[in-house]
Amino acid sequence: GVGQHVKLTDNILRLPENISLSFSPYAKDVDKWAASARVTGHEVYVDLPLHPSDYPATDPGPRGIMLEKGAVLNEQNLQWVLSR
């Protein structure tokens, strides 16, 4: 979930470089945050919002990979997440 809160993300980027970071695809300016993380030596991942076991109490967001969305829409959402 890194990237959704500016101050917290700024502090996280100061962690030692041997710590990998996983960014939320919903974060504003996630591409800039990820680039900053790479420059400071962090390995970068992107969170993949998946269908939670307690849905709808927990919602993975508008681009979540959901059982009822079907293969075509889930593929589009996966491509969107990976493009972040």
Side-chain angles (χ1 to χ4, degrees):
V2 178
Q4 292 187 319
H5 303 284
V6 173
K7 189 173 183 177
L8 181 62
T9 301
D10 196 40
N11 287 333
I12 288 171
L13 291 177
R14 294 186 179 113
L15 292 171
E17 64 183 39
N18 62 337
I19 296 174
S20 299
L21 304 176
S22 185
F23 287 85
S24 168
Y26 302 124
K28 183 178 180 186
D29 298 322
V30 69
D31 55 335
K32 294 175 186 172
W33 285 118
S36 294
R38 282 190 215 95
V39 166
T40 57
H42 295 282
E43 187 170 13
V44 174
Y45 297 97
V46 62
D47 296 346
L48 181 59
L50 297 173
H51 189 120
S53 60
D54 64 345
Y55 182 80
T58 302
D59 188 343
R63 298 292 188 142
I65 308 301
M66 302 291 289
L67 297 172
E68 66 273 1
K69 286 187 178 178
V72 173
L73 186 54
N74 280 330
E75 173 71 23
Q76 291 170 353
N77 287 341
L78 176 62
Q79 292 302 321
W80 179 85
V81 168
L82 294 175
S83 74
R84 308 298 286 156

